[in-house]
Amino acid sequence: MKTFIALLKGINVGGHKKVPMAELRELLTKSGFSNVRTYIQSGNIFFETLEESYNHIEKIISDAIQNHFGFEVLVLVRDHQDLRRIFDDCPFDEAKKEASYFMMLHDAPSTDLVNTASEKIYEGEEYNIINDCIYYFSEKGFGRSKFNVNFFERKLQTFATARNYKTMIKLMELSS
């Protein structure tokens, strides 16, 4: 069995799409996954499965949440090597890296879409789109920045979910 990490987009934020972690662990165990664990309330799930297709795993989890909780949740599945690659590919120096966000994309966008998205800039905000991740830094912090995940999703025609530096470190630690 292989360990995977499912990153859920937009749960338990501002009282919307409430998903209790204990209930989610039980639901995914009943859905056929083993050793299901969660990290913080924002939808980081570790589990083992013999299934190898990321898309199929995402569909199983998404369907289970839809059927049980009654709302759609976008699911991004990665493994430890994926997280390590994304983390190591960060183009920022260590100080900026520690204050940056990793917006992981479901699909790697085409060069044309990346070029179009990269045309927009704001002072004090930096980003690099590399493969399936947007490395994002804002002097003001993520919550007060002008860019947001929705902007990039529209421009890159795929969904994204963001995690900060400390969460990425913990996800790699827990998935190894």
Side-chain angles (χ1 to χ4, degrees):
M1 285 215 211
K2 183 174 177 180
T3 299
F4 291 93
I5 306 96
L7 306 170
L8 306 185
K9 178 183 168 81
I11 66 160
N12 298 332
V13 179
H16 302 286
K17 294 187 177 181
K18 293 188 126 223
V19 177
M21 293 298 104
E23 199 171 336
L24 180 60
R25 288 190 297 271
E26 183 180 328
L27 174 65
L28 295 184
T29 299
K30 287 180 181 175
S31 297
F33 300 110
S34 302
N35 298 318
V36 179
R37 304 172 321 270
T38 55
Y39 171 67
I40 63 178
Q41 299 296 310
S42 59
N44 304 293
I45 311 156
F46 303 89
F47 56 91
E48 294 176 3
T49 182
L50 293 173
E51 177 61 54
E52 294 185 17
S53 167
Y54 286 23
N55 288 333
H56 189 240
I57 295 168
E58 290 165 352
K59 181 163 177 31
I60 292 169
I61 295 171
S62 181
D63 288 351
I65 292 170
Q66 173 76 50
N67 293 333
H68 184 80
F69 293 103
F71 49 79
E72 181 182 12
V73 171
L74 296 173
V75 179
L76 178 71
V77 169
R78 295 290 182 257
D79 66 16
H80 177 79
Q81 290 77 19
D82 295 325
L83 293 181
R84 173 53 63 190
R85 172 189 51 81
I86 288 167
F87 187 80
D88 289 346
D89 286 351
C90 183
F92 298 134
D93 64 36
E94 199 59 33
K96 281 186 180 174
K97 185 175 183 177
E98 289 178 11
S100 67
Y101 277 78
F102 300 76
M103 294 185 210
M104 289 170 275
L105 302 166
H106 188 266
D107 302 298
S110 70
T111 302
D112 289 342
L113 292 174
V114 169
N115 291 339
T116 300
S118 298
E119 292 172 358
K120 189 139 187 108
I121 57 171
Y122 291 110
E123 188 176 333
E125 298 184 39
E126 295 178 49
Y127 63 92
N128 288 282
I129 304 168
I130 302 173
N131 298 319
D132 58 350
C133 188
I134 302 164
Y135 301 92
Y136 180 78
F137 171 80
S138 172
E139 293 173 355
K140 298 177 259 180
F142 193 67
R144 295 173 52 206
S145 65
K146 292 186 179 185
F147 280 117
N148 60 41
V149 174
N150 293 337
F151 166 80
F152 291 108
E153 288 176 326
R154 281 192 311 277
K155 292 292 185 182
L156 300 175
Q157 300 175 9
T158 189
F159 82 86
T161 186
R163 300 297 186 271
N164 66 23
Y165 175 88
K166 288 181 181 179
T167 299
M168 287 293 289
I169 295 285
K170 194 67 173 176
L171 295 177
M172 288 186 297
E173 176 187 311
L174 293 172
S175 65
S176 62

